[in-house]
Structures are given as structure tokens and as C-alpha cells.
Amino acid sequence: MRAIIVRPPKAGVEIKDVKEGEVDNYGKVKIRTLYNGICGTDREIVNGRLSHAILPENRDYLVLGHEAIGVVEESCCGFSQGELVMPVNRRGCGVCRNCLAGRPDFCETGRATDLGTKGKDGFMREFWFDDVRYLVRVPRALEDVGILAQPLADVVKSVEEMLSVQRRVPLWSCDDGTLNCRRALVVGTGPIGILFSLALRTVGLEVWMSNIREPLIIEQTLMEEAKINYYNSYKGYDELLKTQGKFDVIIDATGADASLLDSLLPLLNRNGILGLFGYPISGTFSLNNKDIQDIVHANKLIIGMVNGQKPHFEQALVYLASWKTLYPKSSKLLITKTISINDEKEVLKALREKADGEIKVRISWL
Amino acid sequence: MRAIIVRPPKAGVEIKDVKEGEVDNYGKVKIRTLYNGICGTDREIVNGRLSHAILPENRDYLVLGHEAIGVVEESCCGFSQGELVMPVNRRGCGVCRNCLAGRPDFCETGRATDLGTKGKDGFMREFWFDDVRYLVRVPRALEDVGILAQPLADVVKSVEEMLSVQRRVPLWSCDDGTLNCRRALVVGTGPIGILFSLALRTVGLEVWMSNIREPLIIEQTLMEEAKINYYNSYKGYDELLKTQGKFDVIIDATGADASLLDSLLPLLNRNGILGLFGYPISGTFSLNNKDIQDIVHANKLIIGMVNGQKPHFEQALVYLASWKTLYPKSSKLLITKTISINDEKEVLKALREKADGEIKVRISWL
Amino acid sequence: MRAIIVRPPKAGVEIKDVKEGEVDNYGKVKIRTLYNGICGTDREIVNGRLSHAILPENRDYLVLGHEAIGVVEESCCGFSQGELVMPVNRRGCGVCRNCLAGRPDFCETGRATDLGTKGKDGFMREFWFDDVRYLVRVPRALEDVGILAQPLADVVKSVEEMLSVQRRVPLWSCDDGTLNCRRALVVGTGPIGILFSLALRTVGLEVWMSNIREPLIIEQTLMEEAKINYYNSYKGYDELLKTQGKFDVIIDATGADASLLDSLLPLLNRNGILGLFGYPISGTFSLNNKDIQDIVHANKLIIGMVNGQKPHFEQALVYLASWKTLYPKSSKLLITKTISINDEKEVLKALREKADGEIKVRISWL
Amino acid sequence: MRAIIVRPPKAGVEIKDVKEGEVDNYGKVKIRTLYNGICGTDREIVNGRLSHAILPENRDYLVLGHEAIGVVEESCCGFSQGELVMPVNRRGCGVCRNCLAGRPDFCETGRATDLGTKGKDGFMREFWFDDVRYLVRVPRALEDVGILAQPLADVVKSVEEMLSVQRRVPLWSCDDGTLNCRRALVVGTGPIGILFSLALRTVGLEVWMSNIREPLIIEQTLMEEAKINYYNSYKGYDELLKTQGKFDVIIDATGADASLLDSLLPLLNRNGILGLFGYPISGTFSLNNKDIQDIVHANKLIIGMVNGQKPHFEQALVYLASWKTLYPKSSKLLITKTISINDEKEVLKALREKADGEIKVRISWL
Ligand SMILES: [Zn+2]
Ligand SMILES: [Zn+2]
Ligand SMILES: [Zn+2]
Ligand SMILES: [Zn+2]
Ligand SMILES: [Zn+2]
Ligand SMILES: [Zn+2]
Ligand SMILES: [Zn+2]
Ligand SMILES: [Zn+2]
């Protein structure tokens, strides 16, 4: 069958016929791929820049792809033929308490595996076999935007974790019982930044998104439909601090230079959370002794957040469904392109580089 | 202005002109009523059966109505003219910690007030003035089903409370991290029962709803769209226990005779919750010493649940938005009738008795 | 070796020589018994009244005893020769999530086992072998009162569970951040009632204990040292309600007739918890429809609580240590008698019936 | 009356007669000072190094002292003459939700006040008047070590906050339900480091304390009595990492150079917490992009922790009581000196500098 393969640590990507018996499968349910999403991690692998991407043992290629929607090919194990499903991409280590409880996002051994990245094949192929435990049902009504449930699951888990962590504060809720008085700054308006902005809005926070340029159409649409604010950080964050004050939640969703965090820390409110999500590619975050003193006496918290699991995929689908109703224009703008697997040149190009204005690109296997 | 009024403890309901200066208002935002929902509590008042319904001091009538959507008449206090809003119906006592924190659902003094029921006027009138603190923004896309956010808020709060309470169990989540292995039985398929079934489904549980007859169209549609199971309890619950085993959550949403609970208790699983929501009108729930022993050594819990507040209204609106996408046919069946306020006879009839097959009836003030 | 054995469902108890190879052992650490505690459950077995007491398969006797302190006989597996240890008496089912997480108190299968009660031998014998997982280190300084850590673990778990459950209330803490304004009524002043009173006091609540007679010396000492209040309920609870108002927590620690609960329910405050701990031997708890309505609209909760696990044994030992400092007189009164295993007649008598004024009786194997 | 006063930002300390009407009082209960504790913060003020120490308005001196035990002079407001009490040193802003809920440790406005430090008089004076809300009862049995409840309250709050934050992990508890498998590294063995080590031990963790020298008598006693491990970090932390692996909790209790954190971060385990407590006086904590990536994909968390409130004082007293039983030798070593207020020279010397081997020094007003 056809598959999109990579050969880390070497750069490069190919569409190639692979032997069915040679690639990794994970269970009894046969799933024919409908869509794959492409994300920044895929491109880092393709461009030979993701240090923790590794080949399977005894093989010189890895099937790429950790975002997928497929169709159940034959009824099995509680799933019916024709149902849409989505695989959870991180798989448990089989040993630690959290993995056994279905939560490899908090794996204790570090041996949980990200399919399509770390030595185990992903989902950019005609079909694969998978286990019920890692399959999420996707309602037909979400066939159009459903692929976003994978990155959104990571975001949903992060928001859940931040809300859990804030239970350390006796009352983090507002005078009316909601979170409407809490203000979040989401830095970066790639797909992750947009999904964070929408998810935080959905749980009730007031949200500012920022990027180093004027807002594009998607951002303008989010401002209008979802009442998310936008800040152009081209000249830094002083103006934002001066006009809007401090933020209770700040999310770095850029993957830019770590020194960005130096300029965000002064915007963090007492009892606030600085959430780290993106992987900075360079630079240093420097906290001098005054910064540390401030973190201590104002109860500030810095947290690394990663990987949504099955409960988060399920909640992501509910969020996507609600956004289709509440923010129909924005929802339509989230999938910027669908490329047929038969259009090989376009597929490979999309895997190598991000297009202007791209939010999420899908490969269609139909 | 016109208003629908009652005179508890006397039975009866009228549409009457009331003086603007005579009725209760709660703030600065003027709101023109668009819709009112009618619920069982309204009918109990109308029929003189709600013992805790009371007249305002120094007045011989009470404006009825605790479910409303209105339009902001003039921009004020952060709300813009033309915005849709919904009032939270229970108002804080102004004294206790929970009311001050925006959570009169957990009022400590018992002096929180239910507007339209307990001595303070409700929303079945042309317009009223209200306070920002108790107003929930309703997206235009939810004008059709939005009125359900009031009863749904009560349900959302109840589900939140049950999930909070179950954190007593080290792992109440399933092997895949979700709640998919947890099974809920919702007894009664009036509006509350239906909303409970959908809300529990939305957080991941498998759901059985039951009523003492064959499923009607709404229930059939829920079975098909939302994969909710249905059990005809006409002959009792033995068959259900025999074929399906025990349930982790059982909700009494009937308001029937309290002895119903005698037949539900044997279906409650270890570590399970029996949630009481409806107000039983008669009868006794009898727990003999064996029942108590079983509750003790199987960690069982019985909980009374009541009243959603502003955060629950907000979440209810997200749920309704998601259901419009995921369960479009069911969503359309939830509002069974809209009656114009000008059709006085129909309005008064609807206030006196529930029609066959009714789920939610709205009065339109347009 | 010598062992105290029973033959359920038959009444009776003997001290008998049993073969080492015939009785149950649970691991590699050899432990020589120092003390056994006797509790009501033991006496119910001895008197043939505990319906869930069962014999081991293929054997006609069961070694009694679920409260023990022993000395490690040979260094092994992280324990040193001479260390004092205490076994956790309930053992996991080996299958369910909670048992695997060390919490068989929330076993999902019902197949967790209570040693000394349900088909597996207990600790009233010269020595046994046990597993590290179920052994709690006992500081030498607690040799005198340490045996109480077994029943106290059950109480500590119950208090922890109630505090966890009350997180459903936005602010259950008081205006000064403590629990000093919360009031508990503990009904029954046997060992469990006394331990509940002290444990609730230790987490900050104001406590009333009640019994149907004037306070004895232990209760007077608790009143004086621990500022616990006492109520003589000989004439019922009306006087208590009239003079003290309602209670946020009510614990039934009597094991009396279930109808006692009928008289306690009216004393339960809004947002309150009625905690069931004792096993009522007869009677019925009747909740009429008004009672149910009140439970619903005042957020009341009834909870069955059972069995402390290893973390609760550890916390119980900390509590006992603090009480020795804070309540030295009360602490000394808690162990009312120590009987040598060589005084067979006295041992058997103590196993058959509770003496006047008894709180906890120990058997010494020294 | 006599009082110990300072004149920030100027260095210096005096014992001086102050007018009763001139100094700050906070309520109706008159309290005669029994003991004051001296801590590092006091010395920073005395030496003119605490930038946020400020004078009261319209006055040229501030009464020093935030650690005190006193005797109630006249029965009042629920307190009896002769009772020992301890003041909570931080007072709420009177405005924000958390201060109103008795938790100024999470003040939202930043206007909560630390008595004896920030513009309001402290407790180093013959007597003061205080409010019930901020007074903690101290059992007579803790007269000797009770003064430690103030710094210990800060530690207890920090441990509580870390345990709350770790509820983000589905199972942070171990296979036996306890926290015995979790390992903490406490850096610095001043009073705060010692109290952290003991408090973490009390909730079940395995603890390593470290300092840049061989262990002194107190540390040797803690090793022996409380089974706390000790590491000499004179040559850095490589040896510790190599022999003991990573730590789930790392506490900086040094107040040393911030660059210390650079050497601690590599020792932090997945899902771990780096707790910042001390105020570093110099230096920079540098997180390069690899560090940030590691924080992100291993769920690491950095948290600033500060100030215990009344519930933490109460729990601190329970801990101190338990330690007197469990660790009697260590408990006796914690108060290293008691100086009479009449020995002015010694008092002033103790306020200026820390003596060799000092843990906690008390001033006695008897
Ligand atoms: Zn991705
Ligand atoms: Zn794992
Ligand atoms: Zn209603
Ligand atoms: Zn209230
Ligand atoms: Zn027992
Ligand atoms: Zn189990
Ligand atoms: Zn201090
Ligand atoms: Zn404040």
C-alpha cells in the first residue's frame, strides 16, 4: 500500500509502496485512512530537525503522520463498518500507573511512544489496524473539521491541567462564579494559538491573542465572532501591559526563541500561570533574582504542557461541534486546504513547508 | 406593561397590566423579553401546589417566570443594544460566602431567592431591568434553543457536582482515561431527564434513559442520534438489572412517588451515586438495615442536587451549540411549541397543564 | 504455632495449635505478633452473627484478627530486624484499577479481601509472613497506642473522603480559612465514635459527641482536653437542635437501629453530609417525600464510608503521635486493657463480649 | 511599653519605650507577649537590606516581629484569660475574594499586609490587641516549640499547595496508595529547610536534605530519628544524580544565588515540581531552549510559594505535636536559644546576626 515515509535523522519525505506485513499495526480494527493532518512536527521531521524522531528498529524508513481520521473497514470489537474514527497518537509504556490508567500524557517511565515520530509507524498510509482503547469515534457531522481534534486534544488537556492547577487558589473564579474576569494572553496565532484562544474562550476567559503583525482574515473573524482580542506585538509588549494590565494566564504557543519568555514574564498577574506549550528552537529564558522573588511572593507558576489523550479527543470533538454553531465563519477558515494523495507533488510540497496563511492542511485519501 | 401573574398560595394565573413602578427590578440593564420558557414549577404554582411559592410583601400578585431570553434595549454596563441575554434566576443572599462568590446554589443562609417563585417577580413581562452580574450573553445562533439553557444549567451544575464528588475515588475514570465505561441510568424522560441524558453523554458516559412506556419520537431520535439507550420500566427494573447489570450513576428526574427510589437502589453499583433532582410529591424512600450496610461497605452516595448558576448557564450554551451540530434532529424536537403572548387563551392553557408529548413550550413576546 | 481461630458461620472461638504450612501467608517478611486489637467485628464473628464471615476453602477454621502490631523477625525487603510493623487488613482484588493503585477501599469488583474475616487468615497467631506493599512502619514511640491505627485508619479515610466530597461547595472553609466554623455531631462514643471526634477536631471542626447516658471518664477527659462537646441523647435530639442548631457533618458511629437516622436527619445543615459508618443491625431509615425535597434543595448528601488503606494508616500514626502530646490523658485512656495470650480464659472472654467501659482491648503475645 | 523597633530603609534596631496609643493594634483581645521568634527577614530589615520593608505613615519607626506567642490578658470574644495564642502575621486587603475567604496568602490586589514588615507594627512589644479572626490557639503542651508554627505554617501551606497542584497527574500516589515512592530534595538546612524536610516526611515522601558541608548535629539527629537522607553538595549535585536519580519535588530553601537553580533543574523528574521558597539575593536562573523543551514534554512545573494562613498555623501545631512524640531529640534541637528581653545586648546582637549552628532563637518577655 501507499504510505508517506521519512528516514530520520536524514531530511526528506517520499510517497512509497510499503509491504503490509512490514509496517506497525496496533490492534484488530482495520481502518482505511480518510484524512491526515499535517503539522509543524511533521515538517521538522521532514526537514531533519526533530532530534527525537527515530527510525523503527531494523528498518530504514518510518511511516509519518500522527493526525488521522479513518473509516472502519469491517465491524469489529464494538465498532461498526463505516464509522469514522480517530487514533490517539501517543501510546502507553504498558508499565507505569498513568499509562495503565489511559493517561500516557503523564507517563512516568518516558517510554510512552508517539506514533509517526518515535520508532513506531504513523498513519499516513492507506490503512492500518488499531486497538479499541486508542480509537475515538468521530461523528459524521464533524468530518469536515474533525482532523483538528488531534491538535485540539493537546490544547484541551493543557486547559484542563491549568484549571486543575489553579484549584490551589481558594477562589480563582470571579464574583459571578464564572471565569469571565480572568484574562488570558495567547502568544502566537498558528493553529495551536488559535485553538488555545478558542478553548480558553469556551471555558469563559477573556482572551487576547498576539502576533508580530496586523491580524489576517482568520484573526479578524475570531475577533468578530468569538470576541477574542488581538494585539500586534511587533514593537513588544509594553503597550499591551500599559493599556490592558497583567494577565492571569499566558500561553507561549510560538515555538520561537526562548528569550520571548523574558518579555512575557512581566505581564503575568499575581497567582498567574505561564503555560509553555511550543518547543523553542533557540535562545534562553533568564530569570534574575528579582524575577524569582516576584514568582515567590506572588504565587506565580510556570508549567510545561503536552499531549492530549482519549478523554481530551472526546472533549475536543464537543468543542469543535459547538464552534460550528457559535463561530461558523471561523470554523470554515480553520482547514485552509485539502490535497489529494494523488497530487503527489502538492502533498510533498505541503509536507516540506508551510504555505502563507495556512492554518491546517489535510491530505485526502478518498 | 403586560405580565403573567399568579397569587400563591391561591391557584390561578392571569395576563394583566402591571405598573412599571410596582414590580421588582434588579439593576440598570433594560431587557425586553423575547421568550419565556414554561416548566413544571410554573404549573405547580399556577395550580396552587408549590408550598414554597410566596407573594411579594405588600402586594397581592407575583410576576411568574424564571426562564427567559431578552434583548438589551439600550447599551449599558458592558452590554450592547440588541444583544441577547438570559437572566440567572436564583439571586444571592448578599451575606454568605458562597453567594458572594457567585454561587447562591450553595447558599449557606437559605435566604437566596428564586425569582418568579419566592416573593420576587420573575420574567414573564414585557421588560425588566437587571444587573450585569446575573446576565448571561446568548449567541444569536442559539436564539432557537437557548431558552433550554435555564433548565440545562441546573443539569450541568448537577453533573459537575457529581464529577467533583467522584474525585473521592482514586480512579473513577476508565482504563482508556475516559468515562466511557461508566454507566448512567436516567429515570424520567421529561425535559430534565432528556437534558441529563444528553449532558451525561457529552461528558462521556454510556446512558440509559427510562420511562414507563414505549419510547416516543424524541426518545427514538435520541437513541439513534446520541446512542442513548432506552428502557421501558412499566414492569419495574428487574429486567434491566438482569440484562444490563448495575449503574454507576442513577438520576431520579421524575418528581414521582419517593418509593420509586426503593426500586432504584438495588441497581446502584459500588462507588456509585444516586442523584436526587426531582421533587417527589408523595411516598417514602425506605432504607432497611441491609440497605444501609450495603451503602456503607460499597461506598455508595446519595446526593440532592439543585440550581445552576452563571458558569453553568455559560456551559449549557456551549452544550446546546454542540448538540445542534451533533444531534440536529433531537435539538429540533426539544422545543415542542412556541405560543405568542397575544394568543392569551393558549398561553394560559399551557401554563395550566402539560400537553401530550410536550418537552419545552415557549411564550414569544415578539 | 498458637492461633486464635473461629469457624464461621458457627459461633465459637478457640486458641489452638495450627500447622505453619496450613495457614495463609502473604509475602516474604516474617513478622512475630506483638499485639492484636479486638474489635466489634471480631466479636460478631465469634458470636456467629457476621453474615459475610467465611471459612477458607478446604479448611474448617479461620485465623481471626485484623488489628495487629508485630516485630520484623529477619531483615528483608527494606525492613530491618526489630522494626515494628502493622499490616493493612484489606487486600486488593489484583484486577481493578483502584486495587492496583493501592486503594482496595474503592475496589470495583468486590473481590478485595478482609483478612481475618472473609476466607483468608488474620493475624491472631504467633507469626505470619507478609508483603512490603501492605506493611506500615510503626514508630517505637507509638508501641503503646499504635494498635489504634487500624480502626483510626478507617476513620482517617472517612474524614479525607468527606473533605474531598465537600470540595463540591465553592467555599466550605470559614471566613478565616479554617474549618473552625463547621460543626460535627458524632453519634456513638465507642472506639470509632471517639476516634472520629478526635480526628474531626484535628482537622479543625467543632465537635459534639453524643451517647444515651451521662459522659463517662473518657468522655469527660475528651471534653476537658480536646474541647469536644458532649450531648446526652437519652431523650432524643430535640434539645440539641434547639440549643445548638444544625450540624454540617453528622456521623453515625453506633451500629444501632437504622431508625436512629430518622432522628438525625432533621439536624443536618444545608450543604451538609450525613456519614454512615456503623452497620445497623436492624430497623429502617425512612425518608418521606418532604425529606427528599429538603435533601434536594439544600444540597444534602448521604455517604457510606469504609476501610482505610496504607496512606490512612500512615496518617493515623501521625494523629496518634500528635494526640499523645496534645491529649495525654485521653490517649492513656484509649487502651483500656492488655491481656496476655497465656491468660487463655481472659482472652476468650474478651473475644466473646465487651467489658463495661471498654474502649480498646489488646492481646499481648510477648 | 517596651518594643523592638526598626527604621527602614535605614539599618539599625533599638529597644525603646513606645506610647501605647501610637502603635498599631488590630482588635479587642489584649495579648501579653510571651515569646518572639527571630527570622532571616527580621535580620534583613535590621541590616537595611529588605527593599519592601516600609515605615508606617507619619511615624519614624516600626515595631518589628512577625513570630509571636502571647497570653490572653483578659477573657474576650471567645478567648479565655491565660490561653496561649499566636497571631497570623499577614492580614487581608479587605477587598479581594481570597482575603475575604481568610486566605490573604492568595491576595489578588497585592495590598495584604505583613505585620512587622510593611508599614504596620509587628509583635516585638510587651502587648498588643488583636482580632479573633487572626488568632490561633496554642496548646500549653506546645509552649516550648510553638513559636515554630509561624515559619512552619508557610511550609505547611507550600506542601498543601504542591499536593493540590499534583492532582493534575491522574495518579501521583504510589502503587500502595501512599507517597512513599515520591522523593523530595530540600536544598538548604536552615530552619525552613529543616521544617520542609520534616513536613514532606510527615505526608509520606522520602526526603533528601542538602547543604554545602558535612551534617551538623541537628541534621545527624534528623537522619537517625526521621530517616531523612543528607547530601553534601559542596562539589555540586552530579554525584547525587548519579547515585540517587531524579527527584519528584525539589525545594529551594536557601535564599542563595539564583544560579543554584541551574544546577537543580537537571535533577527534576518527569511530572515533577521545582518549588521556589527562598528569596535569592543575586544571580540568574537561565533556562535555555533545551531546558524549556524538557519542561514542556515532561510536564515539569516551577512554582513560587509563600505565606501560611490560619488553617496552616493550626496544622503546623498538629505537626509539631506529632514530632514531639516521633522525633523527640530533633524537636529539642529546633529552638537553639532563648534570650530574655532584659538581656538587651544579647537581644540586639541576635537581631543583627545569625549565630553559628542557630536554628530558631526566641526572645522571652517573661
Ligand atoms: Zn502535531
Ligand atoms: Zn508510562
Ligand atoms: Zn424551571
Ligand atoms: Zn447565601
Ligand atoms: Zn475492626
Ligand atoms: Zn479491586
Ligand atoms: Zn519569618
Ligand atoms: Zn486581598
Side-chain angles (χ1 to χ4, degrees), chain B residues 91-100 103-104 106-112:
Chain B
R91 304 299 165 97
C93 71
V95 175
C96 84
R97 284 179 290 279
N98 290 313
C99 285
L100 293 175
R103 296 297 302 276
F106 281 108
C107 179
E108 297 263 332
T109 64
R111 278 179 271 133

PDB file of all heavy atoms in Angstrom, chain B residues 91-100 103-104 106-112, ligand 4:
ATOM      1  N   ARG B  91     -30.985  34.396  42.979  1.00  0.00           N
ATOM      2  CA  ARG B  91     -30.169  35.528  43.374  1.00  0.00           C
ATOM      3  C   ARG B  91     -29.633  35.347  44.787  1.00  0.00           C
ATOM      4  O   ARG B  91     -30.352  34.889  45.683  1.00  0.00           O
ATOM      5  CB  ARG B  91     -31.007  36.818  43.293  1.00  0.00           C
ATOM      6  CG  ARG B  91     -31.621  37.052  41.907  1.00  0.00           C
ATOM      7  CD  ARG B  91     -30.552  37.186  40.838  1.00  0.00           C
ATOM      8  NE  ARG B  91     -31.054  37.062  39.480  1.00  0.00           N
ATOM      9  CZ  ARG B  91     -31.354  38.110  38.694  1.00  0.00           C
ATOM     10  NH1 ARG B  91     -31.217  39.341  39.136  1.00  0.00           N
ATOM     11  NH2 ARG B  91     -31.751  37.891  37.455  1.00  0.00           N
ATOM     12  N   GLY B  92     -28.378  35.731  44.997  1.00  0.00           N
ATOM     13  CA  GLY B  92     -27.662  35.516  46.256  1.00  0.00           C
ATOM     14  C   GLY B  92     -28.280  36.216  47.456  1.00  0.00           C
ATOM     15  O   GLY B  92     -29.000  37.214  47.312  1.00  0.00           O
ATOM     16  N   CYS B  93     -27.948  35.720  48.653  1.00  0.00           N
ATOM     17  CA  CYS B  93     -28.467  36.299  49.886  1.00  0.00           C
ATOM     18  C   CYS B  93     -27.706  37.561  50.270  1.00  0.00           C
ATOM     19  O   CYS B  93     -28.121  38.296  51.166  1.00  0.00           O
ATOM     20  CB  CYS B  93     -28.391  35.280  51.026  1.00  0.00           C
ATOM     21  SG  CYS B  93     -26.710  34.937  51.584  1.00  0.00           S
ATOM     22  N   GLY B  94     -26.558  37.792  49.602  1.00  0.00           N
ATOM     23  CA  GLY B  94     -25.801  39.006  49.882  1.00  0.00           C
ATOM     24  C   GLY B  94     -24.950  38.925  51.126  1.00  0.00           C
ATOM     25  O   GLY B  94     -24.234  39.869  51.478  1.00  0.00           O
ATOM     26  N   VAL B  95     -24.979  37.794  51.782  1.00  0.00           N
ATOM     27  CA  VAL B  95     -24.305  37.689  53.067  1.00  0.00           C
ATOM     28  C   VAL B  95     -23.298  36.540  53.100  1.00  0.00           C
ATOM     29  O   VAL B  95     -22.170  36.697  53.540  1.00  0.00           O
ATOM     30  CB  VAL B  95     -25.351  37.462  54.189  1.00  0.00           C
ATOM     31  CG1 VAL B  95     -24.664  37.225  55.527  1.00  0.00           C
ATOM     32  CG2 VAL B  95     -26.297  38.652  54.284  1.00  0.00           C
ATOM     33  N   CYS B  96     -23.711  35.384  52.628  1.00  0.00           N
ATOM     34  CA  CYS B  96     -22.874  34.205  52.853  1.00  0.00           C
ATOM     35  C   CYS B  96     -21.748  34.129  51.825  1.00  0.00           C
ATOM     36  O   CYS B  96     -21.817  34.703  50.743  1.00  0.00           O
ATOM     37  CB  CYS B  96     -23.702  32.921  52.858  1.00  0.00           C
ATOM     38  SG  CYS B  96     -24.043  32.231  51.236  1.00  0.00           S
ATOM     39  N   ARG B  97     -20.713  33.414  52.221  1.00  0.00           N
ATOM     40  CA  ARG B  97     -19.512  33.266  51.400  1.00  0.00           C
ATOM     41  C   ARG B  97     -19.819  32.776  49.991  1.00  0.00           C
ATOM     42  O   ARG B  97     -19.257  33.270  49.022  1.00  0.00           O
ATOM     43  CB  ARG B  97     -18.568  32.247  52.033  1.00  0.00           C
ATOM     44  CG  ARG B  97     -17.817  32.758  53.233  1.00  0.00           C
ATOM     45  CD  ARG B  97     -16.915  31.672  53.810  1.00  0.00           C
ATOM     46  NE  ARG B  97     -17.707  30.625  54.444  1.00  0.00           N
ATOM     47  CZ  ARG B  97     -18.203  30.727  55.681  1.00  0.00           C
ATOM     48  NH1 ARG B  97     -17.972  31.790  56.411  1.00  0.00           N
ATOM     49  NH2 ARG B  97     -18.925  29.748  56.193  1.00  0.00           N
ATOM     50  N   ASN B  98     -20.682  31.776  49.867  1.00  0.00           N
ATOM     51  CA  ASN B  98     -20.918  31.213  48.546  1.00  0.00           C
ATOM     52  C   ASN B  98     -21.711  32.162  47.663  1.00  0.00           C
ATOM     53  O   ASN B  98     -21.440  32.285  46.468  1.00  0.00           O
ATOM     54  CB  ASN B  98     -21.604  29.850  48.662  1.00  0.00           C
ATOM     55  CG  ASN B  98     -20.655  28.811  49.221  1.00  0.00           C
ATOM     56  OD1 ASN B  98     -19.518  28.709  48.773  1.00  0.00           O
ATOM     57  ND2 ASN B  98     -21.099  28.070  50.218  1.00  0.00           N
ATOM     58  N   CYS B  99     -22.687  32.839  48.219  1.00  0.00           N
ATOM     59  CA  CYS B  99     -23.432  33.819  47.430  1.00  0.00           C
ATOM     60  C   CYS B  99     -22.503  34.943  46.965  1.00  0.00           C
ATOM     61  O   CYS B  99     -22.569  35.374  45.807  1.00  0.00           O
ATOM     62  CB  CYS B  99     -24.606  34.382  48.232  1.00  0.00           C
ATOM     63  SG  CYS B  99     -25.987  33.203  48.360  1.00  0.00           S
ATOM     64  N   LEU B 100     -21.613  35.410  47.847  1.00  0.00           N
ATOM     65  CA  LEU B 100     -20.686  36.470  47.456  1.00  0.00           C
ATOM     66  C   LEU B 100     -19.712  36.003  46.377  1.00  0.00           C
ATOM     67  O   LEU B 100     -19.196  36.797  45.603  1.00  0.00           O
ATOM     68  CB  LEU B 100     -19.919  36.977  48.678  1.00  0.00           C
ATOM     69  CG  LEU B 100     -20.798  37.698  49.707  1.00  0.00           C
ATOM     70  CD1 LEU B 100     -19.971  38.067  50.936  1.00  0.00           C
ATOM     71  CD2 LEU B 100     -21.439  38.947  49.110  1.00  0.00           C
ATOM     72  N   ARG B 103     -22.168  31.978  43.852  1.00  0.00           N
ATOM     73  CA  ARG B 103     -22.682  30.611  43.873  1.00  0.00           C
ATOM     74  C   ARG B 103     -23.837  30.415  44.857  1.00  0.00           C
ATOM     75  O   ARG B 103     -23.773  29.587  45.771  1.00  0.00           O
ATOM     76  CB  ARG B 103     -21.541  29.618  44.158  1.00  0.00           C
ATOM     77  CG  ARG B 103     -20.468  29.573  43.068  1.00  0.00           C
ATOM     78  CD  ARG B 103     -21.006  29.101  41.726  1.00  0.00           C
ATOM     79  NE  ARG B 103     -21.608  27.789  41.835  1.00  0.00           N
ATOM     80  CZ  ARG B 103     -20.904  26.649  41.783  1.00  0.00           C
ATOM     81  NH1 ARG B 103     -19.613  26.682  41.600  1.00  0.00           N
ATOM     82  NH2 ARG B 103     -21.521  25.488  41.868  1.00  0.00           N
ATOM     83  N   PRO B 104     -24.954  31.183  44.649  1.00  0.00           N
ATOM     84  CA  PRO B 104     -26.114  31.006  45.537  1.00  0.00           C
ATOM     85  C   PRO B 104     -26.739  29.615  45.451  1.00  0.00           C
ATOM     86  O   PRO B 104     -27.628  29.293  46.251  1.00  0.00           O
ATOM     87  CB  PRO B 104     -27.100  32.085  45.078  1.00  0.00           C
ATOM     88  CG  PRO B 104     -26.551  32.686  43.850  1.00  0.00           C
ATOM     89  CD  PRO B 104     -25.117  32.300  43.723  1.00  0.00           C
ATOM     90  N   PHE B 106     -25.238  27.206  46.442  1.00  0.00           N
ATOM     91  CA  PHE B 106     -24.766  26.641  47.713  1.00  0.00           C
ATOM     92  C   PHE B 106     -24.924  27.660  48.842  1.00  0.00           C
ATOM     93  O   PHE B 106     -24.111  27.712  49.754  1.00  0.00           O
ATOM     94  CB  PHE B 106     -23.310  26.189  47.586  1.00  0.00           C
ATOM     95  CG  PHE B 106     -23.140  24.876  46.896  1.00  0.00           C
ATOM     96  CD1 PHE B 106     -22.624  24.794  45.612  1.00  0.00           C
ATOM     97  CD2 PHE B 106     -23.514  23.698  47.530  1.00  0.00           C
ATOM     98  CE1 PHE B 106     -22.468  23.577  44.973  1.00  0.00           C
ATOM     99  CE2 PHE B 106     -23.357  22.468  46.896  1.00  0.00           C
ATOM    100  CZ  PHE B 106     -22.839  22.404  45.613  1.00  0.00           C
ATOM    101  N   CYS B 107     -25.972  28.467  48.754  1.00  0.00           N
ATOM    102  CA  CYS B 107     -26.234  29.468  49.792  1.00  0.00           C
ATOM    103  C   CYS B 107     -26.235  28.814  51.169  1.00  0.00           C
ATOM    104  O   CYS B 107     -26.788  27.734  51.356  1.00  0.00           O
ATOM    105  CB  CYS B 107     -27.580  30.143  49.542  1.00  0.00           C
ATOM    106  SG  CYS B 107     -27.989  31.370  50.809  1.00  0.00           S
ATOM    107  N   GLU B 108     -25.591  29.483  52.109  1.00  0.00           N
ATOM    108  CA  GLU B 108     -25.486  28.935  53.469  1.00  0.00           C
ATOM    109  C   GLU B 108     -26.633  29.403  54.360  1.00  0.00           C
ATOM    110  O   GLU B 108     -26.887  28.810  55.405  1.00  0.00           O
ATOM    111  CB  GLU B 108     -24.166  29.410  54.110  1.00  0.00           C
ATOM    112  CG  GLU B 108     -22.926  28.933  53.417  1.00  0.00           C
ATOM    113  CD  GLU B 108     -22.329  27.697  54.075  1.00  0.00           C
ATOM    114  OE1 GLU B 108     -22.512  27.516  55.288  1.00  0.00           O
ATOM    115  OE2 GLU B 108     -21.716  26.902  53.348  1.00  0.00           O
ATOM    116  N   THR B 109     -27.254  30.509  53.998  1.00  0.00           N
ATOM    117  CA  THR B 109     -28.283  31.063  54.886  1.00  0.00           C
ATOM    118  C   THR B 109     -29.687  30.608  54.512  1.00  0.00           C
ATOM    119  O   THR B 109     -30.618  30.742  55.304  1.00  0.00           O
ATOM    120  CB  THR B 109     -28.276  32.605  54.808  1.00  0.00           C
ATOM    121  OG1 THR B 109     -28.629  32.994  53.473  1.00  0.00           O
ATOM    122  CG2 THR B 109     -26.919  33.171  55.153  1.00  0.00           C
ATOM    123  N   GLY B 110     -29.870  30.115  53.298  1.00  0.00           N
ATOM    124  CA  GLY B 110     -31.205  29.754  52.844  1.00  0.00           C
ATOM    125  C   GLY B 110     -32.012  30.974  52.423  1.00  0.00           C
ATOM    126  O   GLY B 110     -33.192  30.861  52.105  1.00  0.00           O
ATOM    127  N   ARG B 111     -31.361  32.144  52.392  1.00  0.00           N
ATOM    128  CA  ARG B 111     -32.087  33.348  52.025  1.00  0.00           C
ATOM    129  C   ARG B 111     -31.837  33.790  50.579  1.00  0.00           C
ATOM    130  O   ARG B 111     -32.247  34.888  50.188  1.00  0.00           O
ATOM    131  CB  ARG B 111     -31.756  34.476  53.013  1.00  0.00           C
ATOM    132  CG  ARG B 111     -32.600  34.342  54.296  1.00  0.00           C
ATOM    133  CD  ARG B 111     -32.263  35.438  55.303  1.00  0.00           C
ATOM    134  NE  ARG B 111     -31.176  35.033  56.175  1.00  0.00           N
ATOM    135  CZ  ARG B 111     -30.105  35.777  56.481  1.00  0.00           C
ATOM    136  NH1 ARG B 111     -29.993  36.996  55.974  1.00  0.00           N
ATOM    137  NH2 ARG B 111     -29.175  35.328  57.283  1.00  0.00           N
ATOM    138  N   ALA B 112     -31.168  32.962  49.799  1.00  0.00           N
ATOM    139  CA  ALA B 112     -31.100  33.224  48.363  1.00  0.00           C
ATOM    140  C   ALA B 112     -32.524  33.132  47.814  1.00  0.00           C
ATOM    141  O   ALA B 112     -33.359  32.405  48.361  1.00  0.00           O
ATOM    142  CB  ALA B 112     -30.209  32.189  47.679  1.00  0.00           C
TER     143      ALA B 112
HETATM  144 ZN    ZN E   4     -26.254  32.929  50.574  1.00  0.00          ZN
END
